[in-house]
Amino acid sequence: MKILSIQSSVAYGHVGNSAAVFPLQRIGVEVMPVHTVNFSNHTGYGAWRGPLIAPEDVREVVTGVEERGAFADTDAVLSGYQGGEGIADVILDAVARVKAANPAALYACDPVMGNAKSGCFVAPAIPVLLRDRVVPAADIITPNQFELGFLTGTEPDTLESTLASADLARAMGPSVVLVTSVERPDREPGTIEMLAVTPEGAWIVTTPHLPFKANGSGDVTAALFTAHYVRTRDAADALARTTSSVFDLLRTTHESGRRELELVAAQEFYAHPQLQFEVRQVR
């Protein structure tokens, strides 16, 4: 399997491509990372160094990859955090070129814009751009509950309302919606859920909620789910494997006491997921 991943990159820590590439490689995926920024560290520290990469430079890298003949056997395009408005055109153009070379290829978009606790943390134009132009071009999207609500103009909280919001999102274009960080009022205390919705049905999985914030975990989630789904077209299996791997990554990180993801230390959990959580079909 081969994935073109257009995301940010950091030297210190793990977000964007610096979070997604190694887990994908560890499960046997050939990754072609194209960076949209080259920062010293993620911006959550409040200080960072390094350049935003101009959209035309990102496009040049994509074109160079295309000139090597790589798109004909590219199975998916993956995108995450979009720092500026111009990068969306580059990503959508790359998706169109990959699909022209391989009509079976899928586009997976992680529509990063914020979360329920901190609200939107991207430029004001980005959520609208994602909603109106990028998400409709995607085959797979991986929003959290807050992002799903913005995309669909709803306020999902219960299982029923989250399913309804996911259906609205699917009506926009994507066939597969993975809702991360589902927090419904009637869930077991100390838990959190993920929900996958496809034309074939809907499945939910519950895990313990680890009480800390780990930048980059969403990037790992989107990458692993995309790869597993593209490989098998089985959303329940992709959900089971992704949830297992990401929980063990987060548990390993939490136990280490470190701020950055223990991406390397947890590598066996990507290659050999424990599949310790039950996936329940809810539709």
Side-chain angles (χ1 to χ4, degrees):
M1 185 190 303
K2 185 184 289 183
I3 291 179
L4 179 70
S5 181
I6 308 174
Q7 301 197 57
S8 57
S9 177
V10 295
Y12 176 85
H14 303 290
V15 298
N17 272 334
S18 303
V21 171
F22 177 63
L24 287 173
Q25 291 171 331
R26 196 64 182 81
I27 64 170
V29 177
E30 188 70 50
V31 190
M32 299 176 289
V34 177
H35 303 326
T36 56
V37 310
N38 188 18
F39 286 167
S40 55
N41 51 270
H42 69 69
T43 58
Y45 285 94
W48 65 93
R49 296 177 183 271
L52 277 166
I53 299 174
E56 55 268 28
D57 291 332
V58 179
R59 192 188 301 269
E60 279 291 290
V61 174
V62 172
T63 300
V65 173
E66 181 182 34
E67 289 170 347
R68 303 285 73 77
F71 287 178
D73 60 349
T74 295
D75 299 287
V77 180
L78 175 65
S79 72
Y81 171 78
Q82 298 187 19
E85 297 175 56
I87 201 65
D89 288 327
V90 177
I91 292 168
L92 291 172
D93 180 56
V95 169
R97 290 199 247 170
V98 167
K99 289 193 170 195
N102 178 15
L106 300 181
Y107 170 39
C109 169
D110 186 7
V112 178
M113 56 184 81
N115 56 57
K117 292 184 177 65
S118 56
C120 276
F121 50 62
V122 297
I126 298 296
V128 176
L129 181 67
L130 287 167
R131 181 190 65 199
D132 295 347
R133 291 195 55 219
V134 182
V135 165
D139 301 291
I140 301 167
I141 60 171
T142 59
N144 60 35
Q145 209 168 15
F146 171 84
E147 292 159 343
L148 177 66
F150 177 87
L151 291 172
T152 57
T154 60
E155 295 184 4
D157 53 0
T158 64
L159 177 59
E160 291 71 25
S161 63
T162 305
L163 283 166
S165 296
D167 288 339
L168 289 172
R170 291 181 53 246
M172 296 166 66
S175 62
V176 177
V177 177
L178 176 70
V179 189
T180 64
S181 305
V182 175
E183 300 185 53
R184 52 190 175 122
D186 57 342
R187 72 188 187 281
E188 286 290 319
T191 65
I192 195 163
E193 295 170 316
M194 276 206 287
L195 173 72
V197 184
T198 77
E200 290 73 43
W203 297 265
I204 198 165
V205 62
T206 304
T207 71
H209 181 236
L210 298 170
F212 77 116
K213 181 184 178 184
N215 293 84
S217 58
D219 302 322
V220 177
T221 300
L224 288 176
F225 181 83
T226 297
H228 288 309
Y229 182 79
V230 168
R231 184 172 276 157
T232 66
R233 295 299 201 272
D234 183 335
D237 179 72
L239 181 62
R241 291 177 182 279
T242 301
T243 303
S244 175
S245 298
V246 172
F247 177 80
D248 280 329
L249 167 62
L250 290 172
R251 178 183 55 77
T252 301
T253 303
H254 187 49
E255 289 170 357
S256 77
R258 297 186 178 93
R259 176 170 178 172
E260 294 290 347
L261 289 175
E262 288 289 298
L263 200 73
V264 175
Q267 62 180 289
E268 287 303 314
F269 298 122
Y270 324 138
H272 307 289
Q274 298 191 80
L275 303 178
Q276 68 271 51
F277 301 113
E278 178 193 5
V279 173
R280 295 180 292 114
Q281 186 162 8
V282 291
R283 190 165 72 193

